[in-house]
Amino acid sequence: LPFLEQGYLVVERDRQDGSADSGQIDSRFSLYLTMSDLGNLQVDFLHGREGLFIRFRASDKKTADFIAGWSEELHAAIKDVPLVSIAFSGEAPDPVNELIKQVVPEGSAMLDTKV
């Protein structure tokens, strides 16, 4: 994929949906990408009892609008799971900065400068 500059997938641990009697476990994962023509892109997936929710966060509104133009094709391609909604917005985070936030605990530094 020559257009893909960097990227990674974050899979969150399954969790109960809050109601004790349902036993429903939600699956949630996010794909963080930097693409040569589209810039930064974050795609969040949530699969729960109602179906699949997808959110695209692009680097800016213009790119988000371009991606939204392909939503009909995406709806047609997803057939195995009920697709509840697809959302599009701008302001995707930089994948490297987001990875550092997830790896390094709050209040800690990447390098220990204490001697």
Side-chain angles (χ1 to χ4, degrees):
L1 303 174
F3 54 86
L4 183 61
E5 295 176 5
Q6 62 185 356
Y8 60 92
L9 177 69
V10 174
V11 179
E12 294 185 28
R13 294 179 189 257
D14 291 343
R15 58 187 182 158
Q16 297 287 337
D17 72 353
S19 56
D21 60 339
S22 74
Q24 178 68 29
I25 296 177
D26 292 337
S27 299
R28 180 184 303 247
F29 60 96
S30 298
L31 186 59
Y32 295 84
L33 305 169
T34 299
M35 302 173 78
S36 57
D37 292 332
L38 296 178
N40 295 334
L41 183 66
Q42 177 183 343
V43 186
D44 300 317
F45 299 87
L46 172 64
H47 183 259
R49 173 180 48 218
E50 301 88 11
L52 181 64
F53 297 84
I54 303 174
R55 179 179 64 184
F56 288 88
R57 292 177 64 192
S59 55
D60 55 41
K61 179 157 177 32
K62 182 178 175 182
T63 305
D65 291 343
F66 170 76
I67 296 169
W70 295 93
S71 64
E72 291 299 321
E73 286 80 357
L74 184 58
H75 272 281
I78 299 175
K79 299 184 186 309
D80 295 338
V81 176
L83 184 57
V84 177
S85 73
I86 301 176
F88 302 89
S89 67
E91 301 179 9
D94 178 75
V96 173
N97 291 339
E98 200 62 26
L99 182 60
I100 290 171
K101 284 181 189 175
Q102 293 182 24
V103 172
V104 179
E106 185 74 30
S108 299
M110 190 90 165
L111 299 172
D112 186 3
T113 57
K114 296 177 186 174
V115 183

